[in-house]
Coordinates of all heavy atoms in Angstrom, one line a residue:
M36 N -6.3 -2.9 -20.7 CA -5.3 -2.6 -19.7 C -6.0 -1.8 -18.6 O -6.7 -0.9 -18.9 CB -4.1 -1.9 -20.3 CG -3.1 -1.4 -19.3 SD -1.8 -0.5 -20.3 CE -0.4 -1.3 -19.6
G37 N -5.6 -2.0 -17.4 CA -6.2 -1.3 -16.2 C -5.5 0.0 -16.0 O -4.7 0.4 -16.8
H38 N -5.9 0.7 -15.0 CA -5.3 2.0 -14.6 C -4.6 1.9 -13.3 O -4.7 0.9 -12.5 CB -6.3 3.1 -14.7 CG -7.4 3.0 -13.6 ND1 -8.5 2.1 -13.7 CD2 -7.6 3.6 -12.4 CE1 -9.3 2.2 -12.7 NE2 -8.7 3.0 -11.8
S39 N -3.8 2.8 -13.0 CA -3.2 2.9 -11.7 C -4.2 3.1 -10.5 O -5.2 3.8 -10.7 CB -2.1 4.0 -11.7 OG -1.2 3.9 -12.7
H40 N -3.7 2.7 -9.3 CA -4.4 2.9 -8.1 C -3.5 3.6 -7.1 O -2.3 3.3 -7.0 CB -5.0 1.6 -7.5 CG -6.0 0.9 -8.5 ND1 -7.3 1.2 -8.5 CD2 -5.7 0.0 -9.5 CE1 -7.9 0.5 -9.5 NE2 -7.0 -0.3 -10.1
H41 N -4.1 4.4 -6.3 CA -3.3 5.0 -5.3 C -4.1 5.1 -3.9 O -5.3 5.5 -3.9 CB -3.1 6.6 -5.7 CG -2.5 6.7 -7.0 ND1 -1.2 6.5 -7.2 CD2 -3.0 6.8 -8.3 CE1 -0.9 6.7 -8.5 NE2 -2.0 6.9 -9.2
F42 N -3.5 4.6 -2.9 CA -4.1 4.5 -1.6 C -3.3 5.4 -0.6 O -2.1 5.5 -0.7 CB -4.1 3.0 -1.1 CG -4.8 2.1 -2.0 CD1 -4.1 1.4 -3.1 CD2 -6.1 1.8 -1.9 CE1 -4.7 0.6 -3.9 CE2 -6.8 1.1 -2.8 CZ -6.1 0.4 -3.8
H43 N -4.0 6.0 0.3 CA -3.3 7.0 1.3 C -4.0 6.9 2.6 O -5.2 6.8 2.7 CB -3.3 8.3 0.6 CG -2.6 9.3 1.6 ND1 -1.2 9.5 1.5 CD2 -3.1 10.1 2.5 CE1 -0.8 10.3 2.5 NE2 -2.0 10.7 3.0
L44 N -3.1 7.0 3.6 CA -3.6 7.2 5.0 C -2.6 7.9 5.8 O -1.4 7.7 5.7 CB -3.8 5.7 5.6 CG -4.6 5.5 6.8 CD1 -6.1 5.9 6.7 CD2 -4.6 4.1 7.2
D45 N -3.2 8.9 6.6 CA -2.3 9.6 7.6 C -2.4 8.8 8.9 O -3.4 8.4 9.3 CB -2.8 11.0 7.7 CG -2.6 11.9 6.5 OD1 -1.6 11.6 5.8 OD2 -3.4 12.8 6.2
Q46 N -1.2 8.6 9.4 CA -1.0 8.0 10.7 C -0.2 8.8 11.6 O 0.9 8.9 11.5 CB -0.3 6.6 10.4 CG -0.5 5.6 11.5 CD -1.8 5.2 11.9 OE1 -2.6 5.0 11.0 NE2 -2.1 5.1 13.1
G47 N -0.9 9.5 12.5 CA -0.2 10.5 13.4 C 0.4 11.6 12.6 O -0.4 12.2 11.7
E48 N 1.7 11.8 12.7 CA 2.3 12.9 11.9 C 2.9 12.4 10.6 O 3.6 13.1 9.9 CB 3.5 13.5 12.7 CG 3.0 14.1 14.1 CD 4.2 14.6 14.9 OE1 5.4 14.5 14.4 OE2 3.9 15.0 16.0
H49 N 2.6 11.1 10.2 CA 3.1 10.5 9.0 C 2.1 10.2 8.0 O 1.0 9.9 8.3 CB 3.9 9.2 9.4 CG 4.9 9.4 10.6 ND1 6.1 10.1 10.3 CD2 4.9 9.0 11.8 CE1 6.8 10.1 11.4 NE2 6.1 9.5 12.4
S50 N 2.5 10.2 6.8 CA 1.6 9.8 5.7 C 2.2 8.5 5.1 O 3.3 8.3 4.9 CB 1.6 10.9 4.6 OG 2.8 11.0 3.9
I51 N 1.3 7.6 4.8 CA 1.6 6.3 4.2 C 0.8 6.3 2.8 O -0.5 6.4 2.9 CB 1.1 5.1 5.1 CG1 1.9 5.2 6.4 CG2 1.5 3.7 4.4 CD1 1.5 4.3 7.5
T52 N 1.5 6.0 1.8 CA 0.9 5.9 0.4 C 1.3 4.7 -0.3 O 2.5 4.3 -0.2 CB 1.4 7.1 -0.4 OG1 1.1 8.3 0.3 CG2 0.7 7.2 -1.7
V53 N 0.4 4.0 -1.0 CA 0.7 2.9 -1.9 C 0.3 3.2 -3.2 O -0.9 3.6 -3.5 CB 0.0 1.6 -1.3 CG1 0.2 0.5 -2.2 CG2 0.4 1.3 0.1
N54 N 1.2 3.1 -4.2 CA 1.0 3.4 -5.6 C 1.0 2.0 -6.3 O 2.0 1.3 -6.2 CB 1.9 4.3 -6.3 CG 1.8 5.7 -5.6 OD1 0.7 6.2 -5.3 ND2 3.0 6.3 -5.4
V55 N -0.1 1.7 -7.0 CA -0.1 0.4 -7.7 C -0.2 0.7 -9.3 O -1.1 1.4 -9.7 CB -1.3 -0.5 -7.4 CG1 -1.3 -1.8 -8.1 CG2 -1.4 -0.6 -5.9
G56 N 0.8 0.2 -10.0 CA 0.9 0.5 -11.5 C -0.3 -0.1 -12.2 O -1.1 -1.0 -11.7
P57 N -0.5 0.3 -13.5 CA -1.6 -0.2 -14.3 C -1.5 -1.7 -14.5 O -0.4 -2.3 -14.5 CB -1.5 0.5 -15.5 CG -0.1 1.1 -15.6 CD 0.4 1.2 -14.2
G58 N -2.7 -2.3 -14.7 CA -2.8 -3.8 -15.1 C -2.7 -4.6 -13.8 O -2.5 -4.1 -12.7
R59 N -3.0 -5.9 -14.0 CA -3.0 -6.8 -12.8 C -1.7 -7.2 -12.3 O -1.5 -7.7 -11.2 CB -3.9 -8.0 -13.3 CG -5.3 -7.7 -13.5 CD -6.1 -9.0 -13.8 NE -6.1 -10.0 -12.9 CZ -7.0 -10.2 -11.8 NH1 -7.9 -9.3 -11.7 NH2 -6.9 -11.1 -10.9
D60 N -0.7 -6.7 -13.0 CA 0.7 -7.2 -12.5 C 1.6 -5.9 -12.4 O 2.9 -6.1 -12.4 CB 1.3 -8.2 -13.5 CG 1.5 -7.8 -14.9 OD1 0.9 -6.7 -15.2 OD2 2.0 -8.5 -15.6
G61 N 1.1 -4.7 -12.3 CA 1.9 -3.5 -12.3 C 2.7 -3.4 -11.0 O 2.5 -4.1 -10.0
E62 N 3.7 -2.6 -11.1 CA 4.6 -2.3 -9.9 C 3.9 -1.7 -8.8 O 2.8 -1.1 -8.9 CB 5.8 -1.5 -10.4 CG 5.4 -0.2 -10.8 CD 6.7 0.5 -11.5 OE1 7.6 -0.1 -11.8 OE2 6.6 1.8 -11.5
I63 N 4.5 -1.9 -7.5 CA 3.9 -1.3 -6.4 C 5.0 -0.6 -5.6 O 6.1 -1.1 -5.4 CB 3.4 -2.5 -5.4 CG1 2.5 -3.4 -6.1 CG2 2.8 -1.9 -4.2 CD1 2.1 -4.6 -5.2
E64 N 4.6 0.7 -5.2 CA 5.5 1.5 -4.3 C 4.8 1.7 -3.0 O 3.7 2.1 -3.0 CB 5.7 2.9 -5.0 CG 6.6 2.9 -6.2 CD 6.7 4.2 -6.8 OE1 5.8 5.1 -6.7 OE2 7.8 4.6 -7.3
L65 N 5.6 1.7 -1.9 CA 5.1 2.0 -0.6 C 5.9 3.2 -0.1 O 7.2 3.2 -0.1 CB 5.4 0.9 0.4 CG 5.1 1.1 1.9 CD1 3.7 1.6 2.1 CD2 5.4 -0.1 2.7
L66 N 5.3 4.3 0.1 CA 5.9 5.6 0.5 C 5.5 5.9 2.0 O 4.4 5.8 2.3 CB 5.6 6.7 -0.4 CG 6.0 6.5 -1.9 CD1 4.9 5.9 -2.6 CD2 6.3 7.9 -2.4
V67 N 6.5 6.4 2.7 CA 6.2 7.0 4.0 C 6.8 8.4 3.9 O 8.0 8.7 3.6 CB 7.0 6.2 5.2 CG1 6.8 6.9 6.5 CG2 6.4 4.8 5.2
N68 N 5.9 9.4 4.2 CA 6.3 10.8 4.1 C 6.8 11.2 2.8 O 7.7 11.9 2.7 CB 7.2 11.2 5.3 CG 6.6 10.9 6.7 OD1 5.3 11.0 6.8 ND2 7.4 10.7 7.6
G69 N 6.4 10.6 1.7 CA 6.7 10.9 0.4 C 8.0 10.2 -0.1 O 8.5 10.5 -1.2
K70 N 8.6 9.4 0.7 CA 9.8 8.6 0.4 C 9.6 7.1 0.1 O 8.9 6.5 1.0 CB 10.9 8.8 1.4 CG 11.3 10.3 1.5 CD 12.5 10.4 2.6 CE 12.8 11.9 2.8 NZ 13.7 12.0 3.8
V71 N 10.0 6.6 -0.9 CA 9.8 5.1 -1.2 C 10.6 4.3 -0.2 O 11.8 4.5 0.0 CB 10.2 4.8 -2.6 CG1 10.1 3.2 -2.8 CG2 9.5 5.5 -3.7
V72 N 9.9 3.5 0.5 CA 10.5 2.6 1.5 C 10.4 1.1 1.2 O 11.1 0.3 1.7 CB 9.9 2.8 2.9 CG1 10.1 4.2 3.4 CG2 8.4 2.5 2.9
A73 N 9.6 0.8 0.2 CA 9.5 -0.7 -0.4 C 9.0 -0.6 -1.8 O 8.2 0.4 -2.1 CB 8.5 -1.4 0.5
Y74 N 9.4 -1.5 -2.5 CA 9.1 -1.6 -3.9 C 9.0 -2.9 -4.5 O 9.7 -3.8 -4.1 CB 10.2 -0.8 -4.8 CG 10.0 -0.9 -6.2 CD1 9.2 0.0 -6.8 CD2 10.7 -1.8 -7.0 CE1 9.0 0.0 -8.3 CE2 10.6 -1.8 -8.4 CZ 9.7 -0.9 -9.0 OH 9.5 -1.0 -10.4
R75 N 8.0 -3.3 -5.2 CA 7.9 -4.6 -5.8 C 7.6 -4.4 -7.4 O 6.8 -3.7 -7.7 CB 6.6 -5.3 -5.2 CG 6.4 -6.7 -5.7 CD 7.2 -7.7 -5.0 NE 7.4 -7.7 -3.6 CZ 6.6 -8.3 -2.6 NH1 5.6 -9.1 -3.1 NH2 6.9 -8.3 -1.5
K76 N 8.5 -4.9 -8.2 CA 8.5 -4.7 -9.6 C 7.2 -5.2 -10.2 O 6.6 -4.6 -11.1 CB 9.6 -5.4 -10.2 CG 9.7 -5.2 -11.8 CD 11.1 -5.1 -12.3 CE 11.1 -4.9 -13.8 NZ 10.7 -3.6 -14.3
E77 N 6.6 -6.3 -9.7 CA 5.4 -6.9 -10.2 C 4.7 -7.6 -9.2 O 5.3 -8.1 -8.2 CB 5.6 -7.8 -11.5 CG 6.6 -8.9 -11.2 CD 7.0 -9.7 -12.5 OE1 7.1 -9.0 -13.5 OE2 7.0 -10.8 -12.4
H78 N 3.4 -7.9 -9.4 CA 2.5 -8.7 -8.5 C 1.5 -9.4 -9.4 O 1.2 -8.9 -10.4 CB 2.1 -7.9 -7.4 CG 0.8 -6.9 -7.9 ND1 1.1 -5.8 -8.5 CD2 -0.5 -7.0 -7.7 CE1 -0.1 -5.2 -8.8 NE2 -1.0 -6.0 -8.4
G79 N 0.9 -10.3 -8.8 CA -0.2 -11.0 -9.5 C -1.4 -11.0 -8.6 O -1.5 -10.4 -7.6
P80 N -2.4 -11.9 -9.0 CA -3.6 -12.0 -8.2 C -3.2 -12.6 -6.8 O -2.2 -13.3 -6.7 CB -4.5 -12.9 -9.0 CG -3.8 -13.3 -10.2 CD -2.4 -12.6 -10.2
G81 N -4.1 -12.2 -5.9 CA -3.8 -12.8 -4.5 C -3.4 -11.6 -3.7 O -3.7 -10.4 -3.8
M82 N -2.6 -11.9 -2.6 CA -2.2 -10.9 -1.7 C -0.7 -10.6 -1.8 O 0.1 -11.5 -1.9 CB -2.5 -11.3 -0.2 CG -2.1 -10.2 0.7 SD -2.7 -10.2 2.4 CE -3.5 -11.8 2.6
T83 N -0.3 -9.4 -1.8 CA 1.0 -8.9 -1.8 C 1.3 -8.2 -0.5 O 0.5 -7.4 -0.1 CB 1.4 -8.0 -2.9 OG1 1.1 -8.7 -4.2 CG2 2.8 -7.5 -2.9
V84 N 2.4 -8.5 0.3 CA 2.6 -7.9 1.5 C 4.0 -7.0 1.5 O 4.9 -7.5 1.0 CB 2.8 -9.0 2.7 CG1 3.1 -8.3 4.0 CG2 1.6 -9.8 2.8
L85 N 3.8 -5.8 1.8 CA 5.0 -4.9 1.8 C 5.1 -4.4 3.3 O 4.2 -4.2 4.0 CB 4.7 -3.6 1.0 CG 4.6 -3.9 -0.5 CD1 4.2 -2.7 -1.2 CD2 5.9 -4.5 -1.1
T86 N 6.4 -4.3 3.7 CA 6.7 -3.8 5.1 C 7.4 -2.5 5.1 O 8.1 -2.2 4.1 CB 7.6 -4.9 5.9 OG1 8.8 -5.1 5.1 CG2 6.8 -6.2 5.9
G87 N 7.2 -1.7 6.1 CA 7.8 -0.4 6.3 C 7.9 -0.1 7.7 O 7.5 -0.8 8.6
E88 N 8.5 1.1 8.0 CA 8.6 1.6 9.3 C 8.3 3.1 9.4 O 8.7 3.8 8.5 CB 10.0 1.4 9.8 CG 10.5 -0.1 9.9 CD 12.0 -0.1 10.4 OE1 12.7 0.8 10.1 OE2 12.3 -1.2 10.9
L89 N 7.5 3.4 10.4 CA 7.3 4.8 10.7 C 8.6 5.4 11.4 O 9.0 4.7 12.3 CB 6.1 5.0 11.4 CG 4.8 4.7 10.8 CD1 3.6 4.8 11.7 CD2 4.5 5.4 9.5
P90 N 9.1 6.6 11.0 CA 10.3 7.0 11.6 C 10.2 7.7 12.9 O 10.7 8.8 13.2 CB 10.8 8.0 10.5 CG 9.6 8.5 9.9 CD 8.6 7.4 9.9
D91 N 9.5 7.0 13.8 CA 9.4 7.5 15.2 C 10.7 7.0 15.9 O 11.5 6.2 15.4 CB 8.2 6.9 15.9 CG 6.9 7.5 15.2 OD1 6.9 8.6 14.8 OD2 5.9 6.7 15.1
R92 N 10.8 7.3 17.3 CA 11.9 6.8 18.1 C 11.3 6.1 19.2 O 10.6 6.8 20.1 CB 12.7 8.0 18.6 CG 13.5 8.7 17.5 CD 14.4 9.7 17.9 NE 14.9 10.4 16.8 CZ 16.0 11.1 16.8 NH1 16.7 11.2 18.0 NH2 16.4 11.7 15.7
P93 N 11.4 4.8 19.2 CA 12.0 4.0 18.3 C 11.1 3.8 17.1 O 9.9 4.2 17.1 CB 12.1 2.5 19.0 CG 10.9 2.6 20.0 CD 10.8 4.0 20.4
V94 N 11.7 3.3 16.0 CA 10.9 3.1 14.7 C 9.8 2.3 15.0 O 9.7 1.3 15.9 CB 11.8 2.5 13.5 CG1 12.8 3.5 13.2 CG2 12.4 1.2 13.9
H95 N 8.7 2.4 14.1 CA 7.4 1.7 14.4 C 7.1 0.9 13.1 O 6.7 1.5 12.1 CB 6.4 2.7 14.6 CG 5.2 2.3 15.4 ND1 4.6 3.0 16.3 CD2 4.5 1.0 15.4 CE1 3.6 2.3 16.9 NE2 3.5 1.2 16.3
P96 N 7.3 -0.4 13.1 CA 7.1 -1.3 11.9 C 5.6 -1.5 11.6 O 4.8 -1.4 12.5 CB 7.8 -2.6 12.3 CG 7.8 -2.7 13.7 CD 7.9 -1.3 14.2
F97 N 5.4 -1.6 10.3 CA 4.0 -1.8 9.9 C 4.0 -2.7 8.6 O 5.1 -2.9 8.0 CB 3.2 -0.6 9.6 CG 3.7 0.3 8.5 CD1 3.3 0.1 7.2 CD2 4.7 1.3 8.7 CE1 3.6 0.8 6.1 CE2 5.2 2.0 7.6 CZ 4.6 1.8 6.3
R98 N 2.8 -3.3 8.3 CA 2.7 -4.0 7.1 C 1.5 -3.4 6.2 O 0.6 -2.9 6.8 CB 2.4 -5.5 7.2 CG 3.5 -6.3 7.9 CD 3.3 -7.6 8.1 NE 1.9 -8.2 8.2 CZ 1.5 -9.4 7.9 NH1 2.4 -10.3 7.4 NH2 0.3 -9.8 7.9
V99 N 1.7 -3.5 4.9 CA 0.6 -3.1 4.1 C 0.2 -4.4 3.2 O 1.1 -5.1 2.7 CB 1.0 -2.0 3.0 CG1 -0.1 -1.8 2.0 CG2 1.1 -0.7 3.8
L100 N -1.1 -4.7 3.2 CA -1.5 -5.9 2.6 C -2.4 -5.4 1.3 O -3.3 -4.7 1.5 CB -2.5 -6.7 3.4 CG -2.0 -6.9 4.9 CD1 -3.1 -7.6 5.7 CD2 -0.8 -7.8 4.8
L101 N -1.9 -5.8 0.1 CA -2.6 -5.5 -1.1 C -3.3 -6.7 -1.6 O -2.6 -7.6 -2.0 CB -1.6 -4.8 -2.0 CG -2.2 -4.4 -3.4 CD1 -3.0 -3.2 -3.2 CD2 -1.1 -4.2 -4.4
R102 N -4.5 -6.6 -1.8 CA -5.3 -7.8 -2.2 C -5.8 -7.5 -3.6 O -6.6 -6.6 -3.8 CB -6.5 -8.1 -1.3 CG -6.0 -8.5 0.0 CD -7.2 -8.7 1.1 NE -6.8 -9.1 2.3 CZ -6.6 -8.3 3.3 NH1 -6.6 -7.0 3.2 NH2 -6.2 -8.8 4.5
Q103 N -5.4 -8.4 -4.6 CA -5.8 -8.3 -6.0 C -6.8 -9.5 -6.2 O -6.3 -10.6 -6.0 CB -4.7 -8.3 -6.9 CG -5.1 -8.2 -8.4 CD -5.5 -6.8 -8.8 OE1 -5.0 -5.8 -8.4 NE2 -6.6 -6.8 -9.4
P104 N -8.1 -9.3 -6.5 CA -8.9 -10.4 -6.7 C -8.4 -11.5 -7.7 O -7.8 -11.1 -8.7 CB -10.2 -9.8 -7.2 CG -10.1 -8.4 -6.7 CD -8.7 -8.0 -6.7
H105 N -8.7 -12.7 -7.5 CA -8.2 -13.8 -8.4 C -9.1 -14.0 -9.6 O -8.6 -14.0 -10.7 CB -8.3 -15.1 -7.6 CG -7.2 -15.4 -6.7 ND1 -5.9 -15.7 -7.0 CD2 -7.0 -15.2 -5.3 CE1 -5.1 -15.8 -6.0 NE2 -5.8 -15.5 -4.9
L106 N -10.4 -14.0 -9.4 CA -11.3 -14.4 -10.4 C -12.0 -13.3 -11.1 O -12.2 -13.2 -12.3 CB -12.3 -15.4 -9.9 CG -11.8 -16.7 -9.2 CD1 -12.8 -17.5 -8.6 CD2 -10.9 -17.5 -10.3
V107 N -12.4 -12.3 -10.4 CA -13.3 -11.3 -10.9 C -12.4 -10.0 -11.1 O -11.7 -9.5 -10.2 CB -14.4 -10.9 -9.9 CG1 -15.2 -9.7 -10.5 CG2 -15.3 -12.1 -9.7
P108 N -12.3 -9.5 -12.3 CA -11.5 -8.3 -12.5 C -12.1 -7.1 -11.8 O -13.2 -6.7 -12.1 CB -11.5 -8.0 -14.0 CG -12.2 -9.3 -14.6 CD -12.9 -9.9 -13.6
S109 N -11.5 -6.7 -10.7 CA -12.0 -5.5 -10.0 C -10.8 -4.8 -9.3 O -9.7 -5.3 -9.4 CB -13.0 -6.0 -8.9 OG -12.4 -6.8 -7.9
A110 N -11.0 -3.7 -8.8 CA -9.9 -2.8 -8.1 C -9.3 -3.6 -7.0 O -10.0 -4.3 -6.2 CB -10.5 -1.5 -7.7
P111 N -8.1 -3.4 -6.8 CA -7.4 -3.9 -5.6 C -7.8 -3.2 -4.3 O -8.4 -2.2 -4.3 CB -5.8 -3.7 -5.8 CG -5.9 -2.6 -6.8 CD -7.1 -2.6 -7.6
R112 N -7.6 -3.9 -3.2 CA -7.9 -3.3 -1.9 C -6.7 -3.3 -1.1 O -5.8 -4.1 -1.3 CB -9.0 -4.1 -1.1 CG -10.3 -4.2 -1.8 CD -11.3 -5.0 -1.0 NE -10.7 -6.3 -0.7 CZ -11.1 -7.2 0.1 NH1 -12.2 -7.0 0.7 NH2 -10.5 -8.3 0.3
C113 N -6.5 -2.2 -0.3 CA -5.2 -2.1 0.4 C -5.6 -1.8 1.9 O -6.5 -1.2 2.2 CB -4.6 -0.9 -0.1 SG -2.9 -0.7 0.4
T114 N -4.8 -2.5 2.7 CA -5.0 -2.5 4.2 C -3.7 -2.2 4.9 O -2.7 -2.8 4.6 CB -5.7 -3.8 4.7 OG1 -6.8 -4.1 4.0 CG2 -5.9 -3.8 6.2
L115 N -3.7 -1.4 5.9 CA -2.6 -1.1 6.8 C -2.7 -1.9 8.1 O -3.8 -1.9 8.6 CB -2.5 0.4 7.1 CG -1.5 0.8 8.3 CD1 -0.1 0.6 7.7 CD2 -1.7 2.2 8.7
E116 N -1.6 -2.6 8.4 CA -1.6 -3.4 9.6 C -0.6 -2.8 10.5 O 0.6 -2.8 10.2 CB -1.3 -4.9 9.3 CG -1.4 -5.8 10.6 CD -1.1 -7.1 10.3 OE1 -1.9 -8.0 9.9 OE2 0.2 -7.6 10.4
L117 N -1.0 -2.2 11.6 CA -0.1 -1.4 12.6 C -0.5 -1.8 13.9 O -1.7 -1.8 14.3 CB -0.3 0.0 12.4 CG 0.6 0.9 13.2 CD1 2.1 0.8 13.0 CD2 0.2 2.4 13.1
D118 N 0.5 -2.4 14.8 CA 0.1 -2.8 16.1 C -0.9 -3.8 16.2 O -1.7 -3.9 17.1 CB -0.2 -1.7 17.0 CG 0.9 -0.6 17.2 OD1 2.1 -1.0 17.1 OD2 0.6 0.6 17.3
G119 N -0.9 -4.7 15.1 CA -1.9 -5.8 15.1 C -3.4 -5.4 14.7 O -4.2 -6.3 14.8
V120 N -3.5 -4.2 14.4 CA -4.8 -3.7 14.0 C -4.9 -3.4 12.5 O -3.9 -2.7 12.0 CB -5.2 -2.5 14.8 CG1 -6.6 -1.9 14.3 CG2 -5.2 -2.7 16.2
E121 N -5.8 -4.0 11.8 CA -6.0 -3.7 10.4 C -6.9 -2.5 10.1 O -7.9 -2.4 10.7 CB -6.5 -4.9 9.6 CG -5.5 -6.0 9.5 CD -5.8 -7.2 8.6 OE1 -6.9 -7.1 8.0 OE2 -5.1 -8.2 8.6
Q122 N -6.4 -1.6 9.2 CA -7.2 -0.4 8.9 C -7.3 -0.3 7.3 O -6.2 -0.2 6.8 CB -6.6 0.8 9.5 CG -7.3 2.1 9.4 CD -6.7 3.2 10.1 OE1 -5.7 3.1 10.8 NE2 -7.3 4.4 10.1
P123 N -8.5 -0.2 6.7 CA -8.4 -0.1 5.3 C -7.8 1.3 4.9 O -8.0 2.3 5.6 CB -10.0 0.0 5.0 CG -10.6 -0.6 6.2 CD -9.7 -0.3 7.3
M124 N -7.1 1.3 3.8 CA -6.6 2.5 3.2 C -7.4 2.9 2.1 O -7.6 2.1 1.1 CB -5.2 2.2 2.7 CG -4.2 1.8 3.8 SD -2.5 1.7 3.2 CE -2.1 3.4 2.7
P125 N -8.0 4.1 2.2 CA -8.9 4.5 1.1 C -8.1 4.9 -0.1 O -7.0 5.3 -0.1 CB -9.6 5.8 1.7 CG -8.7 6.2 2.8 CD -8.0 5.1 3.3
E126 N -8.8 4.5 -1.3 CA -8.2 4.9 -2.6 C -8.5 6.3 -2.9 O -9.5 6.9 -2.5 CB -8.8 4.0 -3.7 CG -8.1 4.2 -5.0 CD -8.4 3.2 -6.1 OE1 -9.3 2.3 -5.8 OE2 -7.9 3.3 -7.2
R127 N -7.5 7.0 -3.4 CA -7.6 8.4 -3.7 C -7.4 8.7 -5.2 O -6.6 7.9 -5.8 CB -6.7 9.3 -2.9 CG -5.3 9.1 -3.2 CD -4.4 10.0 -2.4 NE -3.0 9.9 -2.7 CZ -2.1 10.6 -2.3 NH1 -2.4 11.6 -1.4 NH2 -0.8 10.4 -2.7
L128 N -8.1 9.6 -5.8 CA -8.0 10.0 -7.1 C -6.8 10.8 -7.4 O -6.6 11.8 -6.6 CB -9.3 10.6 -7.6 CG -9.3 11.1 -9.1 CD1 -9.2 9.9 -10.0 CD2 -10.6 11.9 -9.3
V129 N -5.9 10.4 -8.3 CA -4.8 11.3 -8.6 C -4.9 11.7 -10.0 O -4.9 10.8 -11.0 CB -3.5 10.5 -8.3 CG1 -2.3 11.4 -8.8 CG2 -3.3 10.1 -6.8
L130 N -5.0 12.9 -10.3 CA -5.1 13.4 -11.7 C -3.7 13.7 -12.3 O -2.8 13.9 -11.7 CB -5.9 14.7 -11.7 CG -7.3 14.5 -11.1 CD1 -7.9 15.9 -11.1 CD2 -8.1 13.6 -12.0

């Protein structure tokens, strides 16, 4: 069984966090400023897309792309897509 993964990126005055549960099909939470804005009970190999909004005026929509490798067991990768620009979200260690 795998372990959980946590990705985080500060975007202006906001924080965006993605928590991925253990295993290749664990649950995914997308948080903005510490509040869950999207949730997926399970996912499999390939890409999972979650959407959210930054609470600016007007709101600022974004997508998070979570890539879980198909063939080789390895850690997922997470990317923030905001205003058409993709930015890798670094994984952080959570104790």
Side-chain angles (χ1 to χ4, degrees):
M36 178 179 230
H38 64 281
S39 297
H40 296 274
H41 307 276
F42 301 91
H43 181 83
L44 193 61
D45 289 325
Q46 193 65 37
E48 299 177 5
H49 305 290
S50 68
I51 301 171
T52 305
V53 177
N54 296 321
V55 182
R59 291 181 60 92
D60 59 353
E62 61 189 20
I63 306 170
E64 293 178 323
L65 171 60
L66 298 89
V67 174
N68 300 331
K70 296 180 183 175
V71 176
V72 299
Y74 176 83
R75 183 77 49 92
K76 180 148 178 76
E77 58 187 36
H78 73 283
M82 184 167 5
T83 301
V84 179
L85 297 171
T86 59
E88 295 177 336
L89 296 178
D91 295 325
R92 292 185 188 197
V94 295
H95 206 138
F97 67 90
R98 296 186 332 156
V99 169
L100 312 171
L101 180 71
R102 294 175 178 92
Q103 180 70 47
H105 283 281
L106 302 175
V107 179
S109 62
R112 293 180 314 169
C113 194
T114 305
L115 170 69
E116 184 181 273
L117 180 66
D118 295 330
V120 176
E121 289 189 7
Q122 184 175 1
M124 294 183 69
E126 186 166 5
R127 66 180 185 172
L128 179 63
V129 175
L130 301 176

